[in-house]
Amino acid sequence: MAVPKHRISKSRRDKRRTHYKLTAPHVATCPQCGEAKMQHRACPECGVYNGRNVIEKE
Ligand SMILES: [Zn+2]
């Protein structure tokens, strides 16, 4: 297993971490009810996914 030979300086460590960033969640609009929903997820409002009702709502 690889073992570090030198301690990484704060500068190098922090420069590496500049690539770590949060991305905004992928919000889409439901074509059925127009509600905001997650991409590739069934709509939490009407339970429709890909034009098909996948969650039974009362
Ligand atoms: Zn919907």
Side-chain angles (χ1 to χ4, degrees), residues 30-35 37 43-48:
C30 175
Q32 189 71 23
C33 65
E35 198 59 46
K37 71 171 204 60
C43 175
E45 285 302 310
C46 62
V48 164

Side-chain angles (χ1 to χ4, degrees), residues 22 26 28 35 47 51 54:
L22 286 173
H26 296 107
E35 198 59 46
V54 290

Side-chain angles (χ1 to χ4, degrees), residues 4-28:
K5 196 163 193 174
H6 299 287
R7 181 188 168 116
I8 300 289
S9 69
K10 289 173 193 169
S11 171
R12 253 186 83 183
R13 180 201 64 198
D14 293 352
K15 272 191 235 169
R16 179 179 66 237
R17 291 180 186 173
T18 63
H19 300 285
Y20 298 3
K21 43 179 104 69
L22 286 173
T23 54
H26 296 107
V27 178

Side-chain angles (χ1 to χ4, degrees), residues 30-32 37-43 46-55:
C30 175
Q32 189 71 23
K37 71 171 204 60
M38 293 290 279
Q39 288 257 279
H40 306 282
R41 299 292 185 275
C43 175
C46 62
V48 164
Y49 187 70
N50 211 352
R52 199 163 58 88
N53 203 309
V54 290
I55 305 167

